[in-house]
Amino acid sequence: RDSASLFHVIRHLIQVRRKHSAFAFGTFRWVAASSIAVAAYTRINGVDQLLIVSNLSDTILHVELQLEWQQLHDVVDALTGLTYTAFTPDNGPSLLRLDLDPYEFRWLDLQGDALQ
């Protein structure tokens, strides 16, 4: 089996989506991004909290997201398990920096338990 095949990628996307009720229920809120070519928003349903980030352009983007949570530290990519660290400069809102390939998207678990 080819784990990189389109079939397996879509099957994995569906599995992750089913695990997170926030995709279907809960609140939606836009998140400020440093590029107009990035769509970033949260989906929150109780303790299930996701940050969705999409590069809508055909170029690599280095994006900074301004998050309203003061104490946000690590977020985990729900698809890959990679961890990203946010930082809080001088009592301001937390910032998260990401590098996104053309048309790349990330589903980030704000609770840090994406793979449990």
Side-chain angles (χ1 to χ4, degrees), residues 49 51 65 67-77 82-89 92-98 108-113:
Q49 301 180 18
L51 171 62
L65 303 170
L67 306 172
E68 61 189 61
W69 304 276
Q70 292 293 327
Q71 297 302 317
L72 183 64
H73 297 290
D74 292 339
V75 296
V76 176
D77 190 313
L82 293 175
T83 299
Y84 302 93
T85 301
F87 64 98
T88 306
S94 293
L95 300 174
L96 181 64
R97 291 185 176 144
L98 298 172
L108 303 174
D109 188 332
L110 298 176
Q111 298 303 304
D113 63 350

PDB file of all heavy atoms in Angstrom, residues 49 51 65 67-77 82-89 92-98 108-113:
ATOM      1  N   GLN A  49     -10.679  22.408  20.084  1.00  0.00           N
ATOM      2  CA  GLN A  49     -10.310  23.717  19.551  1.00  0.00           C
ATOM      3  C   GLN A  49      -9.297  23.556  18.431  1.00  0.00           C
ATOM      4  O   GLN A  49      -8.210  23.031  18.643  1.00  0.00           O
ATOM      5  CB  GLN A  49      -9.727  24.585  20.662  1.00  0.00           C
ATOM      6  CG  GLN A  49     -10.688  24.802  21.803  1.00  0.00           C
ATOM      7  CD  GLN A  49     -10.097  25.673  22.891  1.00  0.00           C
ATOM      8  OE1 GLN A  49      -9.113  26.378  22.671  1.00  0.00           O
ATOM      9  NE2 GLN A  49     -10.690  25.647  24.061  1.00  0.00           N
ATOM     10  N   LEU A  51      -7.297  25.371  14.935  1.00  0.00           N
ATOM     11  CA  LEU A  51      -6.897  26.527  14.145  1.00  0.00           C
ATOM     12  C   LEU A  51      -6.644  26.012  12.736  1.00  0.00           C
ATOM     13  O   LEU A  51      -5.787  25.149  12.529  1.00  0.00           O
ATOM     14  CB  LEU A  51      -5.629  27.167  14.721  1.00  0.00           C
ATOM     15  CG  LEU A  51      -4.965  28.261  13.889  1.00  0.00           C
ATOM     16  CD1 LEU A  51      -5.897  29.458  13.710  1.00  0.00           C
ATOM     17  CD2 LEU A  51      -3.658  28.692  14.550  1.00  0.00           C
ATOM     18  N   LEU A  65       0.596  34.570  12.603  1.00  0.00           N
ATOM     19  CA  LEU A  65      -0.800  34.611  13.020  1.00  0.00           C
ATOM     20  C   LEU A  65      -0.881  35.217  14.406  1.00  0.00           C
ATOM     21  O   LEU A  65      -0.121  34.852  15.301  1.00  0.00           O
ATOM     22  CB  LEU A  65      -1.397  33.203  13.052  1.00  0.00           C
ATOM     23  CG  LEU A  65      -1.311  32.433  11.748  1.00  0.00           C
ATOM     24  CD1 LEU A  65      -1.703  30.986  11.952  1.00  0.00           C
ATOM     25  CD2 LEU A  65      -2.187  33.076  10.695  1.00  0.00           C
ATOM     26  N   LEU A  67      -2.833  35.431  17.673  1.00  0.00           N
ATOM     27  CA  LEU A  67      -3.829  34.664  18.418  1.00  0.00           C
ATOM     28  C   LEU A  67      -4.192  35.409  19.694  1.00  0.00           C
ATOM     29  O   LEU A  67      -3.330  35.986  20.349  1.00  0.00           O
ATOM     30  CB  LEU A  67      -3.269  33.275  18.747  1.00  0.00           C
ATOM     31  CG  LEU A  67      -2.752  32.512  17.516  1.00  0.00           C
ATOM     32  CD1 LEU A  67      -2.032  31.252  17.942  1.00  0.00           C
ATOM     33  CD2 LEU A  67      -3.892  32.195  16.576  1.00  0.00           C
ATOM     34  N   GLU A  68      -5.437  35.375  20.051  1.00  0.00           N
ATOM     35  CA  GLU A  68      -5.892  36.157  21.203  1.00  0.00           C
ATOM     36  C   GLU A  68      -5.594  35.506  22.539  1.00  0.00           C
ATOM     37  O   GLU A  68      -5.733  36.127  23.569  1.00  0.00           O
ATOM     38  CB  GLU A  68      -7.390  36.418  21.088  1.00  0.00           C
ATOM     39  CG  GLU A  68      -8.203  35.147  21.068  1.00  0.00           C
ATOM     40  CD  GLU A  68      -9.650  35.402  20.735  1.00  0.00           C
ATOM     41  OE1 GLU A  68      -9.917  35.914  19.649  1.00  0.00           O
ATOM     42  OE2 GLU A  68     -10.484  35.094  21.587  1.00  0.00           O
ATOM     43  N   TRP A  69      -5.167  34.255  22.545  1.00  0.00           N
ATOM     44  CA  TRP A  69      -4.912  33.561  23.797  1.00  0.00           C
ATOM     45  C   TRP A  69      -3.570  33.996  24.349  1.00  0.00           C
ATOM     46  O   TRP A  69      -2.544  33.840  23.702  1.00  0.00           O
ATOM     47  CB  TRP A  69      -4.923  32.052  23.590  1.00  0.00           C
ATOM     48  CG  TRP A  69      -6.199  31.605  22.983  1.00  0.00           C
ATOM     49  CD1 TRP A  69      -7.359  31.332  23.651  1.00  0.00           C
ATOM     50  CD2 TRP A  69      -6.474  31.407  21.605  1.00  0.00           C
ATOM     51  NE1 TRP A  69      -8.338  30.981  22.755  1.00  0.00           N
ATOM     52  CE2 TRP A  69      -7.811  31.018  21.483  1.00  0.00           C
ATOM     53  CE3 TRP A  69      -5.707  31.528  20.449  1.00  0.00           C
ATOM     54  CZ2 TRP A  69      -8.417  30.740  20.272  1.00  0.00           C
ATOM     55  CZ3 TRP A  69      -6.300  31.264  19.235  1.00  0.00           C
ATOM     56  CH2 TRP A  69      -7.630  30.869  19.158  1.00  0.00           C
ATOM     57  N   GLN A  70      -3.560  34.510  25.546  1.00  0.00           N
ATOM     58  CA  GLN A  70      -2.325  35.019  26.144  1.00  0.00           C
ATOM     59  C   GLN A  70      -1.312  33.923  26.446  1.00  0.00           C
ATOM     60  O   GLN A  70      -0.132  34.131  26.311  1.00  0.00           O
ATOM     61  CB  GLN A  70      -2.641  35.780  27.437  1.00  0.00           C
ATOM     62  CG  GLN A  70      -3.388  37.067  27.202  1.00  0.00           C
ATOM     63  CD  GLN A  70      -2.546  38.099  26.484  1.00  0.00           C
ATOM     64  OE1 GLN A  70      -1.341  38.169  26.665  1.00  0.00           O
ATOM     65  NE2 GLN A  70      -3.161  38.911  25.648  1.00  0.00           N
ATOM     66  N   GLN A  71      -1.752  32.755  26.846  1.00  0.00           N
ATOM     67  CA  GLN A  71      -0.837  31.721  27.310  1.00  0.00           C
ATOM     68  C   GLN A  71      -0.710  30.544  26.345  1.00  0.00           C
ATOM     69  O   GLN A  71      -0.384  29.449  26.763  1.00  0.00           O
ATOM     70  CB  GLN A  71      -1.283  31.225  28.690  1.00  0.00           C
ATOM     71  CG  GLN A  71      -1.247  32.298  29.759  1.00  0.00           C
ATOM     72  CD  GLN A  71       0.141  32.905  29.920  1.00  0.00           C
ATOM     73  OE1 GLN A  71       1.147  32.205  29.925  1.00  0.00           O
ATOM     74  NE2 GLN A  71       0.204  34.217  30.051  1.00  0.00           N
ATOM     75  N   LEU A  72      -1.003  30.741  25.086  1.00  0.00           N
ATOM     76  CA  LEU A  72      -0.875  29.652  24.124  1.00  0.00           C
ATOM     77  C   LEU A  72       0.604  29.339  23.914  1.00  0.00           C
ATOM     78  O   LEU A  72       1.416  30.223  23.707  1.00  0.00           O
ATOM     79  CB  LEU A  72      -1.518  30.046  22.794  1.00  0.00           C
ATOM     80  CG  LEU A  72      -1.521  28.975  21.724  1.00  0.00           C
ATOM     81  CD1 LEU A  72      -2.360  27.786  22.170  1.00  0.00           C
ATOM     82  CD2 LEU A  72      -2.065  29.529  20.426  1.00  0.00           C
ATOM     83  N   HIS A  73       0.944  28.062  23.978  1.00  0.00           N
ATOM     84  CA  HIS A  73       2.338  27.662  23.794  1.00  0.00           C
ATOM     85  C   HIS A  73       2.470  26.740  22.591  1.00  0.00           C
ATOM     86  O   HIS A  73       2.736  27.187  21.493  1.00  0.00           O
ATOM     87  CB  HIS A  73       2.880  26.990  25.060  1.00  0.00           C
ATOM     88  CG  HIS A  73       2.894  27.904  26.238  1.00  0.00           C
ATOM     89  ND1 HIS A  73       3.760  28.966  26.344  1.00  0.00           N
ATOM     90  CD2 HIS A  73       2.134  27.932  27.343  1.00  0.00           C
ATOM     91  CE1 HIS A  73       3.543  29.614  27.474  1.00  0.00           C
ATOM     92  NE2 HIS A  73       2.557  29.004  28.105  1.00  0.00           N
ATOM     93  N   ASP A  74       2.254  25.459  22.788  1.00  0.00           N
ATOM     94  CA  ASP A  74       2.419  24.500  21.705  1.00  0.00           C
ATOM     95  C   ASP A  74       1.079  24.146  21.072  1.00  0.00           C
ATOM     96  O   ASP A  74       0.072  23.996  21.759  1.00  0.00           O
ATOM     97  CB  ASP A  74       3.056  23.216  22.226  1.00  0.00           C
ATOM     98  CG  ASP A  74       4.497  23.425  22.654  1.00  0.00           C
ATOM     99  OD1 ASP A  74       5.102  24.411  22.196  1.00  0.00           O
ATOM    100  OD2 ASP A  74       4.998  22.607  23.430  1.00  0.00           O
ATOM    101  N   VAL A  75       1.093  24.029  19.761  1.00  0.00           N
ATOM    102  CA  VAL A  75      -0.045  23.513  19.017  1.00  0.00           C
ATOM    103  C   VAL A  75       0.458  22.338  18.194  1.00  0.00           C
ATOM    104  O   VAL A  75       1.624  22.297  17.806  1.00  0.00           O
ATOM    105  CB  VAL A  75      -0.705  24.583  18.114  1.00  0.00           C
ATOM    106  CG1 VAL A  75      -1.292  25.711  18.949  1.00  0.00           C
ATOM    107  CG2 VAL A  75       0.270  25.135  17.101  1.00  0.00           C
ATOM    108  N   VAL A  76      -0.404  21.377  17.958  1.00  0.00           N
ATOM    109  CA  VAL A  76      -0.002  20.165  17.255  1.00  0.00           C
ATOM    110  C   VAL A  76      -0.780  20.058  15.958  1.00  0.00           C
ATOM    111  O   VAL A  76      -2.002  20.226  15.939  1.00  0.00           O
ATOM    112  CB  VAL A  76      -0.267  18.917  18.137  1.00  0.00           C
ATOM    113  CG1 VAL A  76       0.062  17.644  17.381  1.00  0.00           C
ATOM    114  CG2 VAL A  76       0.543  18.988  19.418  1.00  0.00           C
ATOM    115  N   ASP A  77      -0.075  19.785  14.875  1.00  0.00           N
ATOM    116  CA  ASP A  77      -0.725  19.563  13.588  1.00  0.00           C
ATOM    117  C   ASP A  77      -1.522  18.268  13.682  1.00  0.00           C
ATOM    118  O   ASP A  77      -0.961  17.200  13.919  1.00  0.00           O
ATOM    119  CB  ASP A  77       0.324  19.476  12.486  1.00  0.00           C
ATOM    120  CG  ASP A  77      -0.281  19.482  11.096  1.00  0.00           C
ATOM    121  OD1 ASP A  77      -1.247  18.731  10.864  1.00  0.00           O
ATOM    122  OD2 ASP A  77       0.229  20.223  10.245  1.00  0.00           O
ATOM    123  N   LEU A  82       3.240  17.116  13.948  1.00  0.00           N
ATOM    124  CA  LEU A  82       4.296  18.099  14.200  1.00  0.00           C
ATOM    125  C   LEU A  82       3.815  19.137  15.208  1.00  0.00           C
ATOM    126  O   LEU A  82       2.655  19.537  15.195  1.00  0.00           O
ATOM    127  CB  LEU A  82       4.704  18.793  12.904  1.00  0.00           C
ATOM    128  CG  LEU A  82       5.404  17.931  11.864  1.00  0.00           C
ATOM    129  CD1 LEU A  82       5.629  18.724  10.584  1.00  0.00           C
ATOM    130  CD2 LEU A  82       6.721  17.415  12.399  1.00  0.00           C
ATOM    131  N   THR A  83       4.729  19.583  16.060  1.00  0.00           N
ATOM    132  CA  THR A  83       4.398  20.582  17.071  1.00  0.00           C
ATOM    133  C   THR A  83       4.981  21.936  16.672  1.00  0.00           C
ATOM    134  O   THR A  83       6.127  22.021  16.226  1.00  0.00           O
ATOM    135  CB  THR A  83       4.963  20.158  18.443  1.00  0.00           C
ATOM    136  OG1 THR A  83       4.373  18.911  18.807  1.00  0.00           O
ATOM    137  CG2 THR A  83       4.660  21.187  19.515  1.00  0.00           C
ATOM    138  N   TYR A  84       4.185  22.981  16.857  1.00  0.00           N
ATOM    139  CA  TYR A  84       4.613  24.354  16.586  1.00  0.00           C
ATOM    140  C   TYR A  84       4.473  25.135  17.879  1.00  0.00           C
ATOM    141  O   TYR A  84       3.534  24.930  18.644  1.00  0.00           O
ATOM    142  CB  TYR A  84       3.750  24.991  15.496  1.00  0.00           C
ATOM    143  CG  TYR A  84       3.790  24.223  14.204  1.00  0.00           C
ATOM    144  CD1 TYR A  84       2.844  23.251  13.920  1.00  0.00           C
ATOM    145  CD2 TYR A  84       4.804  24.446  13.282  1.00  0.00           C
ATOM    146  CE1 TYR A  84       2.891  22.521  12.742  1.00  0.00           C
ATOM    147  CE2 TYR A  84       4.862  23.719  12.101  1.00  0.00           C
ATOM    148  CZ  TYR A  84       3.897  22.763  11.841  1.00  0.00           C
ATOM    149  OH  TYR A  84       3.959  22.043  10.686  1.00  0.00           O
ATOM    150  N   THR A  85       5.411  26.041  18.139  1.00  0.00           N
ATOM    151  CA  THR A  85       5.413  26.804  19.374  1.00  0.00           C
ATOM    152  C   THR A  85       5.064  28.258  19.097  1.00  0.00           C
ATOM    153  O   THR A  85       5.700  28.918  18.277  1.00  0.00           O
ATOM    154  CB  THR A  85       6.786  26.714  20.057  1.00  0.00           C
ATOM    155  OG1 THR A  85       7.060  25.334  20.322  1.00  0.00           O
ATOM    156  CG2 THR A  85       6.804  27.480  21.363  1.00  0.00           C
ATOM    157  N   ALA A  86       4.049  28.735  19.801  1.00  0.00           N
ATOM    158  CA  ALA A  86       3.679  30.141  19.740  1.00  0.00           C
ATOM    159  C   ALA A  86       4.497  30.893  20.785  1.00  0.00           C
ATOM    160  O   ALA A  86       5.023  30.293  21.718  1.00  0.00           O
ATOM    161  CB  ALA A  86       2.185  30.299  20.004  1.00  0.00           C
ATOM    162  N   PHE A  87       4.602  32.191  20.616  1.00  0.00           N
ATOM    163  CA  PHE A  87       5.311  32.991  21.599  1.00  0.00           C
ATOM    164  C   PHE A  87       4.503  34.246  21.883  1.00  0.00           C
ATOM    165  O   PHE A  87       3.662  34.656  21.085  1.00  0.00           O
ATOM    166  CB  PHE A  87       6.733  33.329  21.122  1.00  0.00           C
ATOM    167  CG  PHE A  87       6.780  34.189  19.904  1.00  0.00           C
ATOM    168  CD1 PHE A  87       6.964  35.555  20.011  1.00  0.00           C
ATOM    169  CD2 PHE A  87       6.637  33.633  18.637  1.00  0.00           C
ATOM    170  CE1 PHE A  87       7.007  36.356  18.875  1.00  0.00           C
ATOM    171  CE2 PHE A  87       6.676  34.432  17.497  1.00  0.00           C
ATOM    172  CZ  PHE A  87       6.860  35.788  17.623  1.00  0.00           C
ATOM    173  N   THR A  88       4.740  34.831  23.045  1.00  0.00           N
ATOM    174  CA  THR A  88       4.009  36.022  23.472  1.00  0.00           C
ATOM    175  C   THR A  88       5.005  37.142  23.726  1.00  0.00           C
ATOM    176  O   THR A  88       5.698  37.138  24.740  1.00  0.00           O
ATOM    177  CB  THR A  88       3.193  35.724  24.741  1.00  0.00           C
ATOM    178  OG1 THR A  88       2.362  34.599  24.496  1.00  0.00           O
ATOM    179  CG2 THR A  88       2.334  36.912  25.135  1.00  0.00           C
ATOM    180  N   PRO A  89       5.077  38.110  22.818  1.00  0.00           N
ATOM    181  CA  PRO A  89       6.022  39.217  23.007  1.00  0.00           C
ATOM    182  C   PRO A  89       5.447  40.312  23.917  1.00  0.00           C
ATOM    183  O   PRO A  89       4.343  40.797  23.688  1.00  0.00           O
ATOM    184  CB  PRO A  89       6.231  39.747  21.591  1.00  0.00           C
ATOM    185  CG  PRO A  89       4.954  39.422  20.889  1.00  0.00           C
ATOM    186  CD  PRO A  89       4.419  38.168  21.536  1.00  0.00           C
ATOM    187  N   GLY A  92       1.718  41.003  24.850  1.00  0.00           N
ATOM    188  CA  GLY A  92       0.785  41.111  23.742  1.00  0.00           C
ATOM    189  C   GLY A  92       0.129  39.776  23.471  1.00  0.00           C
ATOM    190  O   GLY A  92       0.316  38.810  24.213  1.00  0.00           O
ATOM    191  N   PRO A  93      -0.627  39.700  22.398  1.00  0.00           N
ATOM    192  CA  PRO A  93      -1.256  38.425  22.037  1.00  0.00           C
ATOM    193  C   PRO A  93      -0.205  37.414  21.566  1.00  0.00           C
ATOM    194  O   PRO A  93       0.864  37.794  21.096  1.00  0.00           O
ATOM    195  CB  PRO A  93      -2.207  38.797  20.909  1.00  0.00           C
ATOM    196  CG  PRO A  93      -1.657  40.054  20.340  1.00  0.00           C
ATOM    197  CD  PRO A  93      -0.973  40.763  21.472  1.00  0.00           C
ATOM    198  N   SER A  94      -0.526  36.158  21.704  1.00  0.00           N
ATOM    199  CA  SER A  94       0.381  35.109  21.231  1.00  0.00           C
ATOM    200  C   SER A  94       0.518  35.184  19.721  1.00  0.00           C
ATOM    201  O   SER A  94      -0.438  35.504  19.011  1.00  0.00           O
ATOM    202  CB  SER A  94      -0.141  33.730  21.623  1.00  0.00           C
ATOM    203  OG  SER A  94      -0.095  33.561  23.015  1.00  0.00           O
ATOM    204  N   LEU A  95       1.712  34.883  19.235  1.00  0.00           N
ATOM    205  CA  LEU A  95       1.983  34.867  17.802  1.00  0.00           C
ATOM    206  C   LEU A  95       2.469  33.482  17.406  1.00  0.00           C
ATOM    207  O   LEU A  95       3.230  32.846  18.135  1.00  0.00           O
ATOM    208  CB  LEU A  95       3.045  35.903  17.445  1.00  0.00           C
ATOM    209  CG  LEU A  95       2.710  37.356  17.776  1.00  0.00           C
ATOM    210  CD1 LEU A  95       3.918  38.248  17.506  1.00  0.00           C
ATOM    211  CD2 LEU A  95       1.511  37.831  16.979  1.00  0.00           C
ATOM    212  N   LEU A  96       2.036  33.039  16.247  1.00  0.00           N
ATOM    213  CA  LEU A  96       2.455  31.749  15.716  1.00  0.00           C
ATOM    214  C   LEU A  96       3.002  31.984  14.322  1.00  0.00           C
ATOM    215  O   LEU A  96       2.333  32.590  13.485  1.00  0.00           O
ATOM    216  CB  LEU A  96       1.266  30.783  15.676  1.00  0.00           C
ATOM    217  CG  LEU A  96       1.548  29.375  15.163  1.00  0.00           C
ATOM    218  CD1 LEU A  96       2.519  28.649  16.093  1.00  0.00           C
ATOM    219  CD2 LEU A  96       0.248  28.588  15.026  1.00  0.00           C
ATOM    220  N   ARG A  97       4.228  31.538  14.085  1.00  0.00           N
ATOM    221  CA  ARG A  97       4.857  31.692  12.771  1.00  0.00           C
ATOM    222  C   ARG A  97       4.876  30.348  12.064  1.00  0.00           C
ATOM    223  O   ARG A  97       5.284  29.339  12.638  1.00  0.00           O
ATOM    224  CB  ARG A  97       6.271  32.231  12.924  1.00  0.00           C
ATOM    225  CG  ARG A  97       6.282  33.645  13.409  1.00  0.00           C
ATOM    226  CD  ARG A  97       7.685  34.212  13.453  1.00  0.00           C
ATOM    227  NE  ARG A  97       7.635  35.611  13.847  1.00  0.00           N
ATOM    228  CZ  ARG A  97       8.534  36.196  14.593  1.00  0.00           C
ATOM    229  NH1 ARG A  97       9.575  35.514  15.026  1.00  0.00           N
ATOM    230  NH2 ARG A  97       8.420  37.462  14.923  1.00  0.00           N
ATOM    231  N   LEU A  98       4.460  30.362  10.795  1.00  0.00           N
ATOM    232  CA  LEU A  98       4.424  29.153   9.978  1.00  0.00           C
ATOM    233  C   LEU A  98       4.970  29.452   8.597  1.00  0.00           C
ATOM    234  O   LEU A  98       4.826  30.560   8.087  1.00  0.00           O
ATOM    235  CB  LEU A  98       2.985  28.650   9.809  1.00  0.00           C
ATOM    236  CG  LEU A  98       2.216  28.233  11.051  1.00  0.00           C
ATOM    237  CD1 LEU A  98       0.764  27.958  10.695  1.00  0.00           C
ATOM    238  CD2 LEU A  98       2.854  27.001  11.669  1.00  0.00           C
ATOM    239  N   LEU A 108      -4.547  22.680  12.961  1.00  0.00           N
ATOM    240  CA  LEU A 108      -3.775  22.710  14.196  1.00  0.00           C
ATOM    241  C   LEU A 108      -4.683  22.545  15.411  1.00  0.00           C
ATOM    242  O   LEU A 108      -5.663  23.277  15.573  1.00  0.00           O
ATOM    243  CB  LEU A 108      -2.996  24.027  14.295  1.00  0.00           C
ATOM    244  CG  LEU A 108      -2.050  24.294  13.115  1.00  0.00           C
ATOM    245  CD1 LEU A 108      -1.451  25.686  13.230  1.00  0.00           C
ATOM    246  CD2 LEU A 108      -0.971  23.238  13.042  1.00  0.00           C
ATOM    247  N   ASP A 109      -4.337  21.599  16.256  1.00  0.00           N
ATOM    248  CA  ASP A 109      -5.069  21.315  17.474  1.00  0.00           C
ATOM    249  C   ASP A 109      -4.524  22.222  18.568  1.00  0.00           C
ATOM    250  O   ASP A 109      -3.364  22.100  18.955  1.00  0.00           O
ATOM    251  CB  ASP A 109      -4.903  19.838  17.844  1.00  0.00           C
ATOM    252  CG  ASP A 109      -5.776  19.414  18.994  1.00  0.00           C
ATOM    253  OD1 ASP A 109      -6.104  20.262  19.852  1.00  0.00           O
ATOM    254  OD2 ASP A 109      -6.137  18.229  19.038  1.00  0.00           O
ATOM    255  N   LEU A 110      -5.362  23.127  19.053  1.00  0.00           N
ATOM    256  CA  LEU A 110      -4.909  24.085  20.056  1.00  0.00           C
ATOM    257  C   LEU A 110      -4.788  23.462  21.449  1.00  0.00           C
ATOM    258  O   LEU A 110      -4.203  24.057  22.339  1.00  0.00           O
ATOM    259  CB  LEU A 110      -5.862  25.288  20.114  1.00  0.00           C
ATOM    260  CG  LEU A 110      -5.940  26.068  18.807  1.00  0.00           C
ATOM    261  CD1 LEU A 110      -6.967  27.188  18.920  1.00  0.00           C
ATOM    262  CD2 LEU A 110      -4.592  26.621  18.409  1.00  0.00           C
ATOM    263  N   GLN A 111      -5.301  22.269  21.611  1.00  0.00           N
ATOM    264  CA  GLN A 111      -5.189  21.570  22.887  1.00  0.00           C
ATOM    265  C   GLN A 111      -3.924  20.719  22.952  1.00  0.00           C
ATOM    266  O   GLN A 111      -3.570  20.214  24.003  1.00  0.00           O
ATOM    267  CB  GLN A 111      -6.415  20.687  23.123  1.00  0.00           C
ATOM    268  CG  GLN A 111      -7.689  21.478  23.194  1.00  0.00           C
ATOM    269  CD  GLN A 111      -7.643  22.547  24.260  1.00  0.00           C
ATOM    270  OE1 GLN A 111      -7.404  22.264  25.423  1.00  0.00           O
ATOM    271  NE2 GLN A 111      -7.847  23.786  23.873  1.00  0.00           N
ATOM    272  N   GLY A 112      -3.289  20.476  21.813  1.00  0.00           N
ATOM    273  CA  GLY A 112      -2.055  19.713  21.781  1.00  0.00           C
ATOM    274  C   GLY A 112      -2.237  18.210  21.931  1.00  0.00           C
ATOM    275  O   GLY A 112      -1.291  17.504  22.209  1.00  0.00           O
ATOM    276  N   ASP A 113      -3.448  17.697  21.699  1.00  0.00           N
ATOM    277  CA  ASP A 113      -3.682  16.261  21.869  1.00  0.00           C
ATOM    278  C   ASP A 113      -4.178  15.629  20.578  1.00  0.00           C
ATOM    279  O   ASP A 113      -4.963  14.697  20.597  1.00  0.00           O
ATOM    280  CB  ASP A 113      -4.685  15.999  22.984  1.00  0.00           C
ATOM    281  CG  ASP A 113      -6.070  16.574  22.692  1.00  0.00           C
ATOM    282  OD1 ASP A 113      -6.207  17.331  21.716  1.00  0.00           O
ATOM    283  OD2 ASP A 113      -7.002  16.252  23.432  1.00  0.00           O
TER     284      ASP A 113
END
